[in-house]
Amino acid sequence: MSSIGTGYDLSVTTFSPDGRVFQIEYAAKAVDNSGTVIGIKCKDGIVLGVEKLIPSKMMLPGSNRRIHAVHRHSGMAVAGLAADGRQIVARAKSEATNYDSVYGDPIPVKELADRVASYVHLCTLYWWLRPFGCGVILGGYDRDGPQLYMVEPSGVSYRYFGAAIGKGRQAAKTEIEKLKLQDLTCRKAVIEVAKIIYGVHDEAKDKDFELEMSWVCDESNRQHEKVPEELLEEAKAAAKLALEEMDAD
Amino acid sequence: MDQVDFNAPHSMGTTIIGVTYNGGVVLGADSRTSTGVYVANRASDKITKLTDNVYVCRSGSAADSQVVSDYVRYFLHQHTRIQLGQPATVKVAANLVRLLAYNNKNNLQTGLIVGGWDKYEGGQIYGVPLGGTIVQQPFAIGGSGSSYLYGFFDQAWKEGMTQDEAEELVKKAVSLAIARDGASGGVVRTVIINSEGVTRNFYPGDQLPIWHDELESHNSLLDILGAPEPMNI
């Protein structure tokens, strides 16, 4: 899976003989070791979900948010180094408000994704800057409908129907592929995302986790917001039930 | 009689109009650019292209309005071709115009009407008058000649016109203003913008209606000089 790039991995401005930049790959490892983050694009919007691992019982529930609103119409879920993630979110917010001031229209999600990706990439070009140790799933709803983008630490950004990063991404992707996204409404998708996150959470390795979810859909008036309390509780209950049924086998 | 100063700032007295109809917009303008009482250009084109689907009618100082249009065309080109990859919306074009107009309000003297068509909202007209306000309207009028058109539009404007009705309305309105406003004159130019594209039309004096007390226009001196009446000396 991983190879040691001895000697060629000390700086982000060094290529290895086989054309790799190891520092960027190591940055991606930071993302791989964080809690799972999922985003899916359904019929009428986007749902983002985060497996927020809780390091200490003393933490207040609802603190250390991993999903941030970037603009009225878009939100971003972060995996990896939290402080790095805060920087990216701040930049995205700034790009979005700047675009709005100049062009008088909310920033198209594609444009926002491009700008975030350029910014992340920028930090992989200089030896005196380290790459961002976080990956970002960006979901938004603009004139061209709901769109989902994922930006990796290398600065690469692709558009997805469903994306997952973090520890449980392999299992999560498998589950997402099983869903019929074109027919799924966001209301139903919230339940599915909760089930997936509860499903990929590794009880043995990690302790507690908190489920954080947000959506942008027709039902939320195309605004990015936290999933409403009762729906979130309903989703958690359904997810726990599904787990028990699985365990009962 | 005082010498005419040909180098004085050129102002477009002007009548400019923008009207939405069922399917797009019709922009119209006169063609007189004046320097004091001298008509510097009697066939100017005051309807300028910003992008393939958005045009702007210019009034006030000719130089100011040209410079603003040039900047906006440049910014829109960057925005459209380089970043977005699809045609700009009329709203974005109008917003860029008003940012320039507002932020430079102390140095500019130009009233603009931005009109165009995009696939999201269809035909739209935005007025950007002197101070840099932006207001979306079903129709907009501007320039010195527009003073004479407020009552006319109150009576003649209606929602959901056809393309021909809208163009007739614009043509009639500009010719009415030309009849009464000394700073407006020349020909009537119209630009129609809809989903199919852009059509430019040109109506010289002889194709325009004659109003009360107006003299018929003559296109050529030959018409006047061609058949002189015998003089009775």
Side-chain angles (χ1 to χ4, degrees):
Chain A
M1 202 166 70
S2 59
S3 61
I4 306 175
T6 326
Y8 301 110
D9 60 348
L10 297 174
S11 161
V12 79
T13 54
T14 307
F15 277 98
S16 74
D18 52 352
R20 296 157 70 172
V21 183
F22 280 100
Q23 277 297 309
I24 297 182
E25 297 188 18
Y26 296 160
K29 295 268 188 343
V31 182
D32 292 343
N33 291 332
S34 102
T36 316
V37 173
I38 303 179
I40 59 175
K41 168 175 128 65
C42 352
K43 195 164 64 167
D44 61 340
I46 306 273
V47 176
L48 299 172
V50 176
E51 173 203 13
K52 194 166 67 178
L53 298 169
I54 305 178
S56 153
K57 283 199 172 36
M58 305 278 258
M59 277 171 54
L60 199 66
S63 63
N64 290 343
R65 291 198 59 84
R66 298 273 294 281
I67 304 183
H68 302 91
V70 170
H71 201 55
R72 282 181 296 275
H73 65 8
S74 50
M76 210 177 238
V78 175
L81 300 176
D84 288 12
R86 237 193 343 264
Q87 236 349 58
I88 297 189
V89 169
R91 180 74 186 208
K93 286 180 179 171
S94 156
E95 292 282 0
T97 43
N98 175 261
Y99 186 99
D100 205 320
S101 319
V102 172
Y103 297 105
D105 229 18
I107 185 169
V109 188
K110 174 175 186 288
E111 182 65 28
L112 180 61
D114 272 351
R115 293 194 185 191
V116 171
S118 296
Y119 180 62
V120 171
H121 176 242
L122 189 73
C123 300
T124 66
L125 293 172
Y126 304 103
W127 62 264
W128 37 266
L129 265 184
R130 67 164 175 78
F132 281 106
C134 57
V136 152
I137 296 188
L138 166 64
Y141 201 146
D142 64 18
R143 286 179 183 284
D144 295 315
Q147 292 154 69
L148 186 70
Y149 290 87
M150 180 163 86
V151 183
E152 297 168 13
S154 57
V156 140
S157 140
Y158 287 122
R159 193 169 158 186
Y160 290 92
F161 292 113
I165 41 182
K167 283 189 184 141
R169 68 187 176 288
Q170 299 288 43
K173 278 188 215 164
T174 323
E175 290 303 312
I176 293 175
E177 278 168 29
K178 291 183 191 160
L179 297 171
K180 281 199 149 175
L181 293 170
Q182 291 102 306
D183 303 328
L184 213 56
T185 61
C186 277
R187 198 146 254 277
K188 297 220 179 75
V190 167
I191 315 278
E192 295 302 323
V193 167
K195 284 189 194 160
I196 295 175
I197 293 194
Y198 270 79
V200 305
H201 176 69
D202 193 336
E203 279 296 330
K205 285 203 195 136
D206 306 310
K207 288 153 278 185
D208 280 330
F209 82 100
E210 194 187 322
L211 175 65
E212 204 179 303
M213 287 217 282
S214 77
W215 66 359
V216 197
C217 55
D218 292 335
E219 208 179 310
S220 75
N221 240 321
R222 304 195 182 182
Q223 312 273 35
H224 176 259
E225 55 179 38
K226 273 162 62 169
V227 166
E229 203 54 53
E230 353 80 50
L231 184 57
L232 190 60
E233 290 309 315
E234 191 188 321
K236 285 184 186 171
K240 287 187 189 134
L241 197 63
L243 258 185
E244 280 160 25
E245 281 172 6
M246 248 169 49
D247 290 340
D249 293 338
Chain B
M1 173 97 181
D2 290 314
Q3 263 294 69
V4 181
D5 179 8
F6 296 111
N7 293 320
H10 285 36
S11 153
M12 298 177 299
T14 307
T15 307
I16 49 173
I17 300 179
V19 148
T20 58
Y21 72 91
N22 178 20
V25 297
V26 179
L27 301 176
D30 72 308
S31 69
R32 178 171 291 183
T33 306
S34 41
T35 344
V37 297
Y38 174 65
V39 177
N41 186 348
R42 62 185 167 94
S44 27
D45 182 5
K46 303 183 187 181
I47 310 180
T48 313
K49 174 168 147 171
L50 293 180
T51 72
D52 290 335
N53 55 318
V54 182
Y55 279 63
V56 62
C57 297
R58 301 179 291 110
S59 78
S61 154
D64 289 352
S65 66
Q66 281 173 8
V67 154
V68 169
S69 306
D70 286 347
Y71 268 115
V72 174
R73 192 178 309 119
Y74 169 67
F75 291 135
L76 277 175
H77 182 260
Q78 299 237 297
H79 175 66
T80 306
R81 295 275 156 252
I82 298 170
Q83 289 179 304
L84 221 55
Q86 63 180 25
T89 56
V90 190
K91 185 172 183 202
V92 161
N95 200 56
L96 288 171
V97 171
R98 74 92 178 216
L99 282 179
L100 282 169
Y102 177 76
N103 289 322
N104 297 295
K105 60 161 74 195
N106 293 328
N107 302 318
L108 291 175
Q109 198 179 59
T110 168
L112 303 153
I113 297 180
V114 181
W117 184 94
D118 61 53
K119 69 180 188 209
Y120 299 111
E121 300 286 336
Q124 301 144 72
I125 294 283
Y126 292 86
V128 183
L130 240 44
T133 335
I134 179 171
V135 55
Q136 185 184 2
Q137 304 166 279
F139 71 89
I141 54 179
S144 57
S146 67
S147 318
Y148 309 103
L149 297 176
Y150 284 96
F152 171 71
F153 269 90
D154 282 344
Q155 192 246 14
W157 157 262
K158 54 187 204 295
E159 194 70 49
M161 290 183 283
T162 65
Q163 183 174 306
D164 290 333
E165 283 175 337
E167 208 195 357
E168 272 312 303
L169 179 67
V170 166
K171 224 170 77 178
K172 190 169 171 189
V174 179
S175 68
L176 278 168
I178 287 176
R180 288 291 179 181
D181 178 31
S184 301
V187 305
V188 175
R189 294 190 194 273
T190 64
V191 173
I192 307 172
I193 313 174
N194 52 32
S195 57
E196 278 137 46
V198 177
T199 316
R200 267 194 174 278
N201 287 320
F202 163 82
Y203 300 101
D206 58 356
Q207 288 178 31
L208 298 173
I210 300 286
W211 303 111
H212 179 60
D213 277 355
E214 270 196 299
L215 298 172
E216 268 188 44
S217 61
H218 292 275
N219 286 338
S220 165
L221 285 174
L222 288 175
D223 287 344
I224 307 170
L225 302 175
E229 284 180 348
M231 285 193 347
N232 294 322
I233 305 171

